[in-house]
Amino acid sequence: MTKRVKLIDPSNWVSLKPFGIGEERPNNYGEIVKAIVDNRDQLRYAWRILRQGTCDGCALGTKGIRDWTMREVHLCNIRLRLLRLNTMPPADPGALANVDKLRKWSGARLRDLGRLPRPLVRRAGEPGFTPISWDDALELAADRLRQAGPDRFGVYLTSRGMPNENYYAAQKAVRALGSNSIDNAARICHSPSTFGLKSALGVAATTCSYTDWIGSDLIIFIGSNVANNQPVAMKYLYHAKKAGTRVVCINPYREPGMERYWVPSNLESALFGTKIADRFFQINVGGDIGFLNGVLKHMVESDWIDRRFIDDHTSGFEALVSSLEQQSWNELEAVAGTSREEMRALAEMLHRAETAVFVWSMGVTQHEFGEDNVRAIINLALTKGFVGRDKCGLMPIRGHSGVQGGAEMGAYATVFPGGLPITDENAQRFSNLWGFDVPVTPGLTAVEMIDAAHRRELDVLVSSGGNFLEVLPDPAYCQEALERIPLRVHIDICVSRQMLVDPADVVLLLPAQTRYEMVGGVTETSTERRIIFSPEVPGPRIAEAWPEYRIFGELAARARPELADRVRFTTTQAIRDEIAAAVPLYAGIEKLRAYGDNVQYGGPHLCAGWNFPTDDKRAHFSTVRLPAVVRPDGTFVVSTRRGKQFNSMVHEHTDALTGAVREAVLMNPGDADRLNLANGDPVRLSSKTGEFTGRVLRAPIAPGNLQIHWPEGEVLIDRSRRSPEAKIPDYNAVVRLEPLTRPSPQ
């Protein structure tokens, strides 16, 4: 039955104070003013990027300032903050002539130097970088790649506005060099989601569309904070609330932005705010399986399941029920950190719901049991067939515009293009397509590249964007690893901290073009599997910046001249033509040529009509055991969170949504009282890996749990803890908290 959408709904208002005056919230109008000031030297170009370019922020995927979900303007503060990276002038090469002083600078200050102006080189013993020609830089790198051989080099690509064309050309070049050692940012974000979805449903991406949020009976967010990371989604939730949708959040921290939000482009919400979450379920860090299994146990015991769907379209349910019978309520409560009554409350909501969408992010995946976390979500969704139909679905929401296409283009150490596993048969398929032998041995993942470098078993690292010092656990270990690589090649648009790590022999900096500068336009793939064309946007250019597909093609062509004609691409259209042949699910990408052109692969719903592309044509329930979550007496479990930032790029010292400064240690008030700690008191957190010094911020977080900001908190994370299949680091730690002496009054 179609829900009646209310034009105005005071029941969802936060307060009568206009524009949330005096409330803790982002100043979205202030962000517009700041963007104008920051880009005042290129205002026309900045406006063209906003109007004509596909967003390079999160993976919701707006075309200009519009999208396919609703006919409204979409412009979030993340995109506004990223805008200057596309419009800023080139840096003075002399600013990099001595890097000692730069090491003390923040990432934001380094970015403010400007765009990388030209190829630069630094050799061991030199104080900084000096110019080098493109030809000399490419010859040097190609020669080292040839000497290294396929087993001693690695390539990493970030999701920094990375289009599908660059991903595809890069992975083809790496495989022409005889290796599968290419990885991208998807590895440390949603790789457990890929494994969980593929094994259960036969698909490896979001099964629904954003439009399914609006009018669904229930949206359940698990370990996901779209208010911080995908702000445009808050407009979708505003409309969902007006359509009668109920919103549930499962998280250790009661995120203020998920509780209430002021959507700046909707007059009603901008004036009075919008209550978002109808119910919060606060659980332990790592308590997802305990909580979700408890909810499922209630549904089974109360017979709140769709038995016909389960019998006709799934397998493995009885084994799952048997395993749940062995999990006592006391065990489930201990792991979850909440009561069986709370679990029953969500079970009742699911019982009453005819439709539901499950949304999750890195709060679910970044655990050493991340794959099982995802499978527990899928189990719950399958109990009532919440997949493959309108207003239902499973959505691992993406935080970056380039990340969905990374693995699908094959820029992944463990799969070929299209997500095909690395097997002899698939290697032969691509050998036939590309005209050279494709390797059949899985390559090094991102974390394995750093491990190999630390063992001095990596001779060349090519890093396109990214910053291992900030995105991987144990920064000191990562720095030591980088210092041991004979040749590092950093391809980027501006300076990052990892470029400043001293060379073992040589470090090259190669300037890249942004997506808006690439002749012929490019494409990105959004969370909802929509492949969107982003045209070249007229404006100023960095004369010596190259498109990354050309850089990778040249490296492979010079290292293996006999394959030059097979690895060089002359246009982005030629790349799209080949993608269509290599990745059948991307059929139609070759026809995208103008602003707004798009194709949603798989259609609005994967597994539509409950047709599952598995071997037995059924969805598979999974037996999910309770994880061994151990927290010795006197310790806390700390998780890392995002603040006012995009990936590791910190934009502000204070998060306007939470009031937390970067050094804040978010702590339950009861825990703080027990330790006699007030707001602002200095504390030290210690793990077996390192120490973090911060200040207490009393916050609505589950007892026994703490949160600190990422990447600052990387020092506490144990690099050896990784999930078994995806090999994703576990970004949580068991810590001891030590109050420090309060400063005496002056």
Side-chain angles (χ1 to χ4, degrees), residues 474-496:
D474 199 344
Y477 174 84
C478 290
Q479 176 156 335
E480 289 174 358
L482 293 173
E483 288 172 339
R484 297 175 182 181
I485 302 172
L487 173 67
R488 302 199 322 268
V489 181
H490 298 289
I491 306 170
D492 215 325
I493 60 175
C494 58
V495 180
S496 68

Side-chain angles (χ1 to χ4, degrees), residues 216-358:
S216 179
D217 290 334
L218 200 60
I219 303 176
I220 302 175
F221 289 92
I222 311 166
S224 178
N225 179 14
V226 295
N228 261 85
N229 302 318
Q230 296 94 359
V232 169
M234 302 310 290
K235 182 177 293 187
Y236 303 163
L237 290 177
Y238 163 78
H239 284 281
K241 295 287 291 185
K242 289 172 71 68
T245 299
R246 302 195 75 193
V247 177
V248 165
C249 293
I250 304 170
N251 206 42
Y253 178 54
R254 192 181 180 100
E255 296 285 354
M258 296 300 292
E259 189 167 22
R260 55 186 188 171
Y261 200 86
W262 285 258
V263 179
S265 56
N266 290 101
L267 182 59
E268 179 189 15
S269 183
L271 281 172
F272 306 116
T274 303
K275 297 175 185 176
I276 302 297
D278 295 278
R279 185 71 187 262
F280 274 90
F281 295 96
Q282 288 187 271
I283 63 173
N284 281 335
V285 173
D288 305 272
I289 292 173
F291 183 79
L292 297 170
N293 278 9
V295 175
L296 183 53
K297 189 177 176 80
H298 275 303
M299 295 185 73
V300 171
E301 291 179 351
S302 301
D303 197 27
W304 292 339
I305 60 177
D306 186 337
R307 176 60 70 173
R308 175 175 292 183
F309 167 77
I310 291 171
D311 291 344
D312 292 348
H313 297 285
T314 74
S315 65
F317 185 68
E318 297 308 323
L320 172 58
V321 171
S322 178
S323 72
L324 289 174
E325 290 172 349
Q326 305 305 311
Q327 298 174 14
S328 72
W329 285 113
N330 286 341
E331 289 175 312
L332 292 166
E333 288 176 325
V335 172
T338 191
S339 68
R340 70 196 73 180
E341 288 75 25
E342 286 286 277
M343 301 173 195
R344 184 178 178 85
L346 180 56
E348 289 174 344
M349 295 178 79
L350 286 165
H351 168 54
R352 292 191 296 268
E354 294 183 5
T355 56
V357 177
F358 296 77

Side-chain angles (χ1 to χ4, degrees), residues 425-438:
E425 180 182 358
N426 289 330
Q428 189 58 54
R429 175 181 181 268
F430 287 103
S431 296
N432 295 338
L433 176 67
W434 292 333
F436 55 79
D437 290 338
V438 172

